[in-house]
Short mmCIF file of all heavy atoms in Angstrom, two decimals:
data_model
loop_
_atom_site.label_atom_id
_atom_site.label_comp_id
_atom_site.label_asym_id
_atom_site.label_seq_id
_atom_site.Cartn_x
_atom_site.Cartn_y
_atom_site.Cartn_z
N MET O 25 1.94 6.65 12.84
CA MET O 25 2.96 5.60 12.84
C MET O 25 3.39 5.28 11.43
O MET O 25 2.57 5.16 10.50
CB MET O 25 2.26 4.39 13.45
CG MET O 25 3.01 3.05 13.31
SD MET O 25 2.01 1.64 13.90
CE MET O 25 1.23 1.14 12.32
N TYR O 26 4.73 5.17 11.27
CA TYR O 26 5.23 4.85 9.95
C TYR O 26 5.05 3.32 9.72
O TYR O 26 5.36 2.50 10.54
CB TYR O 26 6.76 5.15 9.83
CG TYR O 26 6.95 6.56 9.46
CD1 TYR O 26 7.31 7.48 10.46
CD2 TYR O 26 6.72 6.99 8.19
CE1 TYR O 26 7.49 8.86 10.07
CE2 TYR O 26 6.89 8.35 7.84
CZ TYR O 26 7.30 9.24 8.76
OH TYR O 26 7.43 10.56 8.45
N VAL O 27 4.45 3.03 8.56
CA VAL O 27 4.28 1.61 8.19
C VAL O 27 5.39 1.20 7.22
O VAL O 27 6.01 0.16 7.36
CB VAL O 27 2.88 1.47 7.45
CG1 VAL O 27 2.73 0.06 6.95
CG2 VAL O 27 1.76 1.83 8.47
N CYS O 28 5.64 2.05 6.28
CA CYS O 28 6.66 1.78 5.26
C CYS O 28 7.82 2.81 5.39
O CYS O 28 7.66 3.96 5.12
CB CYS O 28 6.01 1.87 3.86
SG CYS O 28 7.16 1.59 2.56
N LEU O 29 8.94 2.26 5.91
CA LEU O 29 10.08 3.20 6.10
C LEU O 29 10.75 3.50 4.77
O LEU O 29 11.26 4.60 4.57
CB LEU O 29 11.08 2.55 7.05
CG LEU O 29 10.58 2.38 8.49
CD1 LEU O 29 11.63 1.73 9.31
CD2 LEU O 29 10.21 3.77 9.08
N CYS O 30 10.78 2.62 3.84
CA CYS O 30 11.38 2.85 2.54
C CYS O 30 10.78 4.06 1.86
O CYS O 30 11.49 4.90 1.25
CB CYS O 30 11.29 1.64 1.64
SG CYS O 30 12.20 0.21 2.24
N GLN O 31 9.44 4.13 1.89
CA GLN O 31 8.75 5.19 1.16
C GLN O 31 8.26 6.32 2.14
O GLN O 31 7.65 7.27 1.69
CB GLN O 31 7.55 4.61 0.41
CG GLN O 31 7.92 3.51 -0.60
CD GLN O 31 8.61 4.02 -1.82
OE1 GLN O 31 8.73 5.19 -2.02
NE2 GLN O 31 9.00 3.11 -2.69
N GLY O 32 8.41 6.08 3.47
CA GLY O 32 7.97 7.08 4.44
C GLY O 32 6.45 7.22 4.46
O GLY O 32 5.89 8.33 4.41
N ILE O 33 5.74 6.07 4.43
CA ILE O 33 4.27 6.08 4.44
C ILE O 33 3.71 5.70 5.80
O ILE O 33 4.14 4.75 6.43
CB ILE O 33 3.75 5.03 3.43
CG1 ILE O 33 4.44 5.10 2.05
CG2 ILE O 33 2.20 5.12 3.28
CD1 ILE O 33 3.98 6.19 1.18
N THR O 34 2.78 6.51 6.29
CA THR O 34 2.18 6.28 7.57
C THR O 34 0.82 5.53 7.41
O THR O 34 0.26 5.49 6.33
CB THR O 34 1.87 7.59 8.30
OG1 THR O 34 0.94 8.35 7.56
CG2 THR O 34 3.15 8.43 8.48
N ASP O 35 0.31 4.98 8.58
CA ASP O 35 -0.98 4.37 8.48
C ASP O 35 -2.06 5.36 8.13
O ASP O 35 -3.02 5.02 7.39
CB ASP O 35 -1.27 3.65 9.80
CG ASP O 35 -1.28 4.60 11.03
OD1 ASP O 35 -0.59 5.64 10.97
OD2 ASP O 35 -1.98 4.31 12.02
N GLY O 36 -1.86 6.60 8.57
CA GLY O 36 -2.86 7.64 8.22
C GLY O 36 -2.94 7.87 6.71
O GLY O 36 -4.01 8.11 6.19
N GLN O 37 -1.79 7.82 6.02
CA GLN O 37 -1.79 8.02 4.57
C GLN O 37 -2.49 6.85 3.91
O GLN O 37 -3.17 7.06 2.92
CB GLN O 37 -0.33 8.11 4.09
CG GLN O 37 0.25 9.45 4.32
CD GLN O 37 1.74 9.48 3.94
OE1 GLN O 37 2.58 9.00 4.73
NE2 GLN O 37 2.05 9.92 2.75
N ILE O 38 -2.31 5.64 4.44
CA ILE O 38 -3.06 4.47 3.85
C ILE O 38 -4.53 4.69 3.97
O ILE O 38 -5.27 4.46 3.05
CB ILE O 38 -2.55 3.20 4.50
CG1 ILE O 38 -1.08 2.96 4.15
CG2 ILE O 38 -3.38 1.98 4.00
CD1 ILE O 38 -0.44 1.78 4.86
N ARG O 39 -4.97 5.10 5.16
CA ARG O 39 -6.38 5.34 5.41
C ARG O 39 -6.89 6.39 4.53
O ARG O 39 -8.02 6.27 3.98
CB ARG O 39 -6.63 5.68 6.90
CG ARG O 39 -6.29 4.51 7.76
CD ARG O 39 -6.98 4.56 9.16
NE ARG O 39 -6.74 3.27 9.86
CZ ARG O 39 -5.75 3.13 10.76
NH1 ARG O 39 -4.99 4.16 11.02
NH2 ARG O 39 -5.59 1.98 11.27
N SER O 40 -6.18 7.50 4.42
CA SER O 40 -6.64 8.60 3.55
C SER O 40 -6.79 8.20 2.09
O SER O 40 -7.69 8.60 1.39
CB SER O 40 -5.68 9.79 3.57
OG SER O 40 -5.45 10.19 4.87
N ALA O 41 -5.83 7.35 1.66
CA ALA O 41 -5.83 6.88 0.24
C ALA O 41 -7.16 6.08 0.03
O ALA O 41 -7.77 6.25 -1.03
CB ALA O 41 -4.64 6.03 -0.06
N ILE O 42 -7.52 5.28 1.00
CA ILE O 42 -8.74 4.50 0.87
C ILE O 42 -9.96 5.40 0.89
O ILE O 42 -10.87 5.27 0.07
CB ILE O 42 -8.80 3.38 1.93
CG1 ILE O 42 -7.74 2.30 1.62
CG2 ILE O 42 -10.18 2.73 2.01
CD1 ILE O 42 -7.47 1.35 2.64
N GLN O 43 -10.00 6.35 1.81
CA GLN O 43 -11.09 7.28 1.85
C GLN O 43 -11.15 8.11 0.63
O GLN O 43 -12.19 8.51 0.16
CB GLN O 43 -10.96 8.21 3.09
CG GLN O 43 -11.62 7.54 4.29
CD GLN O 43 -10.84 7.76 5.62
OE1 GLN O 43 -10.12 8.73 5.69
NE2 GLN O 43 -11.05 6.93 6.59
N GLY O 44 -10.02 8.34 -0.03
CA GLY O 44 -9.94 9.11 -1.26
C GLY O 44 -10.24 8.26 -2.50
O GLY O 44 -10.11 8.81 -3.60
N GLY O 45 -10.60 7.03 -2.33
CA GLY O 45 -11.07 6.25 -3.50
C GLY O 45 -10.36 4.92 -3.81
O GLY O 45 -10.85 4.17 -4.66
N CYS O 46 -9.27 4.61 -3.15
CA CYS O 46 -8.61 3.33 -3.35
C CYS O 46 -9.54 2.21 -2.73
O CYS O 46 -9.98 2.28 -1.66
CB CYS O 46 -7.24 3.23 -2.66
SG CYS O 46 -6.02 4.30 -3.49
N CYS O 47 -9.77 1.16 -3.60
CA CYS O 47 -10.75 0.16 -3.19
C CYS O 47 -10.07 -1.21 -2.76
O CYS O 47 -10.69 -2.06 -2.19
CB CYS O 47 -11.68 -0.18 -4.27
SG CYS O 47 -12.65 1.27 -4.76
N THR O 48 -8.75 -1.27 -3.02
CA THR O 48 -8.06 -2.49 -2.64
C THR O 48 -6.60 -2.10 -2.17
O THR O 48 -6.17 -0.97 -2.43
CB THR O 48 -7.86 -3.40 -3.89
OG1 THR O 48 -7.11 -2.64 -4.88
CG2 THR O 48 -9.21 -3.86 -4.48
N TYR O 49 -5.93 -3.10 -1.59
CA TYR O 49 -4.58 -2.87 -1.23
C TYR O 49 -3.69 -2.52 -2.42
O TYR O 49 -2.85 -1.72 -2.41
CB TYR O 49 -3.99 -4.06 -0.46
CG TYR O 49 -2.54 -3.97 -0.27
CD1 TYR O 49 -1.96 -2.97 0.60
CD2 TYR O 49 -1.68 -4.83 -0.89
CE1 TYR O 49 -0.62 -2.88 0.77
CE2 TYR O 49 -0.28 -4.74 -0.72
CZ TYR O 49 0.21 -3.75 0.12
OH TYR O 49 1.60 -3.61 0.24
N ARG O 50 -4.06 -3.20 -3.53
CA ARG O 50 -3.35 -3.01 -4.77
C ARG O 50 -3.39 -1.52 -5.21
O ARG O 50 -2.40 -0.93 -5.63
CB ARG O 50 -3.98 -3.91 -5.84
CG ARG O 50 -3.06 -4.28 -6.96
CD ARG O 50 -3.88 -5.18 -7.93
NE ARG O 50 -3.79 -4.53 -9.22
CZ ARG O 50 -2.81 -4.77 -10.09
NH1 ARG O 50 -1.84 -5.58 -9.77
NH2 ARG O 50 -2.78 -4.15 -11.24
N ASP O 51 -4.59 -0.97 -5.11
CA ASP O 51 -4.81 0.46 -5.43
C ASP O 51 -3.91 1.35 -4.56
O ASP O 51 -3.26 2.35 -5.03
CB ASP O 51 -6.23 0.91 -5.27
CG ASP O 51 -7.19 0.33 -6.30
OD1 ASP O 51 -6.66 -0.22 -7.28
OD2 ASP O 51 -8.43 0.42 -6.10
N VAL O 52 -3.86 1.02 -3.27
CA VAL O 52 -3.09 1.79 -2.31
C VAL O 52 -1.62 1.74 -2.67
O VAL O 52 -0.85 2.69 -2.65
CB VAL O 52 -3.31 1.29 -0.87
CG1 VAL O 52 -2.41 1.98 0.16
CG2 VAL O 52 -4.76 1.46 -0.43
N ARG O 53 -1.18 0.57 -2.99
CA ARG O 53 0.18 0.27 -3.37
C ARG O 53 0.61 1.08 -4.61
O ARG O 53 1.65 1.71 -4.64
CB ARG O 53 0.26 -1.22 -3.74
CG ARG O 53 1.62 -1.80 -3.51
CD ARG O 53 1.52 -3.29 -3.82
NE ARG O 53 2.42 -3.51 -4.88
CZ ARG O 53 3.47 -4.35 -4.81
NH1 ARG O 53 3.63 -5.03 -3.73
NH2 ARG O 53 4.29 -4.51 -5.83
N ILE O 54 -0.29 1.17 -5.57
CA ILE O 54 -0.08 1.93 -6.79
C ILE O 54 -0.03 3.43 -6.45
O ILE O 54 0.87 4.17 -6.88
CB ILE O 54 -1.05 1.58 -7.88
CG1 ILE O 54 -0.85 0.12 -8.33
CG2 ILE O 54 -0.94 2.58 -9.08
CD1 ILE O 54 -1.98 -0.45 -9.18
N ALA O 55 -1.01 3.85 -5.63
CA ALA O 55 -1.17 5.28 -5.31
C ALA O 55 -0.01 5.81 -4.46
O ALA O 55 0.48 6.93 -4.72
CB ALA O 55 -2.53 5.52 -4.64
N LEU O 56 0.41 5.04 -3.45
CA LEU O 56 1.42 5.57 -2.52
C LEU O 56 2.78 4.96 -2.70
O LEU O 56 3.80 5.51 -2.21
CB LEU O 56 0.96 5.26 -1.11
CG LEU O 56 -0.40 5.84 -0.63
CD1 LEU O 56 -0.68 5.39 0.83
CD2 LEU O 56 -0.36 7.34 -0.68
N GLY O 57 2.90 3.83 -3.36
CA GLY O 57 4.22 3.19 -3.50
C GLY O 57 4.54 2.38 -2.28
O GLY O 57 5.72 1.92 -2.18
N VAL O 58 3.59 2.17 -1.38
CA VAL O 58 3.94 1.41 -0.20
C VAL O 58 4.20 -0.05 -0.49
O VAL O 58 3.57 -0.66 -1.38
CB VAL O 58 2.69 1.49 0.84
CG1 VAL O 58 1.42 0.91 0.26
CG2 VAL O 58 2.99 0.90 2.16
N GLY O 59 5.26 -0.58 0.11
CA GLY O 59 5.64 -1.97 -0.17
C GLY O 59 6.32 -2.24 -1.48
O GLY O 59 6.42 -3.41 -1.87
N THR O 60 6.78 -1.22 -2.12
CA THR O 60 7.38 -1.46 -3.45
C THR O 60 8.91 -1.57 -3.43
O THR O 60 9.52 -1.83 -4.45
CB THR O 60 6.94 -0.41 -4.44
OG1 THR O 60 7.34 0.90 -3.89
CG2 THR O 60 5.49 -0.36 -4.75
N GLN O 61 9.51 -1.42 -2.23
CA GLN O 61 10.93 -1.56 -2.18
C GLN O 61 11.36 -2.86 -1.53
O GLN O 61 11.50 -3.87 -2.17
CB GLN O 61 11.60 -0.32 -1.58
CG GLN O 61 11.72 0.81 -2.64
CD GLN O 61 12.55 1.96 -2.12
OE1 GLN O 61 13.51 1.74 -1.42
NE2 GLN O 61 12.14 3.14 -2.47
N CYS O 62 11.57 -2.82 -0.19
CA CYS O 62 12.06 -4.05 0.49
C CYS O 62 10.89 -5.08 0.66
O CYS O 62 11.13 -6.24 0.84
CB CYS O 62 12.68 -3.75 1.79
SG CYS O 62 11.59 -3.26 3.09
N GLY O 63 9.66 -4.53 0.74
CA GLY O 63 8.50 -5.44 0.88
C GLY O 63 8.21 -5.84 2.32
O GLY O 63 7.25 -6.52 2.58
N LYS O 64 9.00 -5.42 3.31
CA LYS O 64 8.79 -5.79 4.68
C LYS O 64 7.52 -5.30 5.29
O LYS O 64 7.01 -5.82 6.21
CB LYS O 64 9.97 -5.29 5.57
CG LYS O 64 11.18 -6.23 5.51
CD LYS O 64 12.20 -5.71 6.52
CE LYS O 64 13.53 -6.31 6.16
NZ LYS O 64 14.67 -5.49 6.63
N CYS O 65 7.05 -4.15 4.74
CA CYS O 65 5.84 -3.58 5.30
C CYS O 65 4.55 -4.14 4.74
O CYS O 65 3.48 -3.82 5.18
CB CYS O 65 5.88 -2.05 5.05
SG CYS O 65 5.96 -1.73 3.26
N ALA O 66 4.68 -4.97 3.72
CA ALA O 66 3.49 -5.40 3.00
C ALA O 66 2.39 -6.04 3.86
O ALA O 66 1.23 -5.67 3.73
CB ALA O 66 3.91 -6.39 1.89
N CYS O 67 2.84 -6.87 4.83
CA CYS O 67 1.83 -7.56 5.70
C CYS O 67 1.06 -6.53 6.48
O CYS O 67 -0.16 -6.59 6.52
CB CYS O 67 2.55 -8.47 6.66
SG CYS O 67 2.42 -10.18 6.18
N VAL O 68 1.77 -5.61 7.15
CA VAL O 68 1.11 -4.62 7.96
C VAL O 68 0.25 -3.68 7.12
O VAL O 68 -0.88 -3.37 7.46
CB VAL O 68 2.18 -3.81 8.79
CG1 VAL O 68 1.52 -2.76 9.63
CG2 VAL O 68 2.93 -4.77 9.65
N ALA O 69 0.82 -3.26 6.01
CA ALA O 69 0.11 -2.33 5.15
C ALA O 69 -1.21 -2.94 4.64
O ALA O 69 -2.27 -2.29 4.61
CB ALA O 69 0.96 -1.91 3.97
N LYS O 70 -1.10 -4.26 4.28
CA LYS O 70 -2.28 -4.96 3.82
C LYS O 70 -3.37 -5.07 4.87
O LYS O 70 -4.47 -4.92 4.64
CB LYS O 70 -1.81 -6.37 3.38
CG LYS O 70 -2.40 -6.82 2.05
CD LYS O 70 -1.90 -8.19 1.71
CE LYS O 70 -0.61 -8.14 0.92
NZ LYS O 70 -0.11 -9.43 0.52
N GLN O 71 -2.87 -5.34 6.11
CA GLN O 71 -3.78 -5.40 7.26
C GLN O 71 -4.51 -4.09 7.47
O GLN O 71 -5.69 -4.10 7.69
CB GLN O 71 -2.95 -5.78 8.47
CG GLN O 71 -3.66 -5.74 9.76
CD GLN O 71 -3.86 -7.14 10.36
OE1 GLN O 71 -3.11 -8.08 10.00
NE2 GLN O 71 -4.85 -7.26 11.19
N ILE O 72 -3.80 -3.03 7.50
CA ILE O 72 -4.40 -1.65 7.69
C ILE O 72 -5.41 -1.40 6.61
O ILE O 72 -6.50 -0.95 6.84
CB ILE O 72 -3.32 -0.58 7.73
CG1 ILE O 72 -2.50 -0.80 8.99
CG2 ILE O 72 -3.93 0.80 7.75
CD1 ILE O 72 -1.21 0.05 9.03
N ALA O 73 -5.03 -1.72 5.33
CA ALA O 73 -5.95 -1.49 4.24
C ALA O 73 -7.27 -2.33 4.42
O ALA O 73 -8.32 -1.81 4.23
CB ALA O 73 -5.24 -1.81 2.88
N ARG O 74 -7.04 -3.61 4.77
CA ARG O 74 -8.16 -4.46 4.94
C ARG O 74 -9.10 -4.01 6.03
O ARG O 74 -10.31 -3.95 5.95
CB ARG O 74 -7.64 -5.85 5.30
CG ARG O 74 -8.44 -6.93 4.56
CD ARG O 74 -7.85 -8.31 4.84
NE ARG O 74 -6.73 -8.61 3.96
CZ ARG O 74 -5.70 -9.36 4.27
NH1 ARG O 74 -5.64 -9.88 5.46
NH2 ARG O 74 -4.78 -9.55 3.39
N GLU O 75 -8.47 -3.56 7.20
CA GLU O 75 -9.32 -3.05 8.30
C GLU O 75 -10.07 -1.84 7.87
O GLU O 75 -11.26 -1.69 8.18
CB GLU O 75 -8.32 -2.69 9.43
CG GLU O 75 -8.00 -3.81 10.39
CD GLU O 75 -6.94 -3.45 11.36
OE1 GLU O 75 -6.77 -2.21 11.64
OE2 GLU O 75 -6.29 -4.35 11.85
N THR O 76 -9.38 -0.93 7.17
CA THR O 76 -10.04 0.36 6.77
C THR O 76 -11.16 0.06 5.77
O THR O 76 -12.22 0.66 5.87
CB THR O 76 -9.00 1.35 6.18
OG1 THR O 76 -7.92 1.38 7.11
CG2 THR O 76 -9.60 2.68 5.97
N LEU O 77 -10.95 -0.81 4.90
CA LEU O 77 -11.96 -1.19 3.89
C LEU O 77 -13.17 -1.87 4.58
O LEU O 77 -14.28 -1.62 4.18
CB LEU O 77 -11.40 -2.12 2.81
CG LEU O 77 -10.44 -1.44 1.83
CD1 LEU O 77 -9.63 -2.43 1.10
CD2 LEU O 77 -11.16 -0.51 0.85
N GLY O 78 -12.86 -2.66 5.58
CA GLY O 78 -13.94 -3.37 6.32
C GLY O 78 -14.80 -2.42 7.11
O GLY O 78 -15.96 -2.71 7.37
N GLU O 79 -14.22 -1.33 7.54
CA GLU O 79 -14.94 -0.34 8.35
C GLU O 79 -15.94 0.45 7.55
O GLU O 79 -16.84 1.06 8.13
CB GLU O 79 -13.99 0.65 8.96
CG GLU O 79 -13.21 0.11 10.17
CD GLU O 79 -12.04 0.98 10.56
OE1 GLU O 79 -11.92 2.07 10.07
OE2 GLU O 79 -11.20 0.44 11.39
N GLU O 80 -15.77 0.48 6.23
CA GLU O 80 -16.58 1.36 5.46
C GLU O 80 -17.95 0.72 5.11
O GLU O 80 -18.00 -0.45 4.99
CB GLU O 80 -15.87 1.79 4.17
CG GLU O 80 -14.78 2.76 4.53
CD GLU O 80 -14.04 3.34 3.30
OE1 GLU O 80 -13.98 2.65 2.29
OE2 GLU O 80 -13.56 4.45 3.41
FE1 LIG N 1 7.90 -0.61 2.80
FE2 LIG N 1 10.44 -1.28 2.62
S1 LIG N 1 9.34 -0.67 4.36
S2 LIG N 1 8.98 -1.20 1.04
#
């Protein structure tokens, strides 16, 4: 599922970034560029990041 249409980022990419070493939503944002344009995806992206971090 696409989370960020501006940058074409999927939920899977967010999860992979966290598994690959990102420890916060901020890290994911820097690594993928998610939420850096219109910002509409920030809430959902943050939620996915939080869920994924909580699962680990
Ligand atoms: Fe992610 Fe616009 S949809 S910045």
Side-chain angles (χ1 to χ4, degrees):
M25 165 187 96
Y26 276 103
V27 174
C28 178
L29 292 179
C30 294
Q31 305 284 355
I33 311 280
T34 63
D35 59 334
Q37 281 173 279
I38 295 175
R39 294 202 172 95
S40 305
I42 289 169
Q43 273 143 21
C46 290
C47 301
T48 60
Y49 169 66
R50 206 180 124 87
D51 288 349
V52 174
R53 208 178 118 119
I54 293 166
L56 300 179
V58 63
T60 54
Q61 278 188 39
C62 73
K64 276 187 199 153
C65 59
C67 257
V68 177
K70 225 178 269 179
Q71 171 111 20
I72 293 167
R74 220 175 277 149
E75 274 172 22
T76 311
L77 289 163
E79 281 165 13
E80 288 183 334

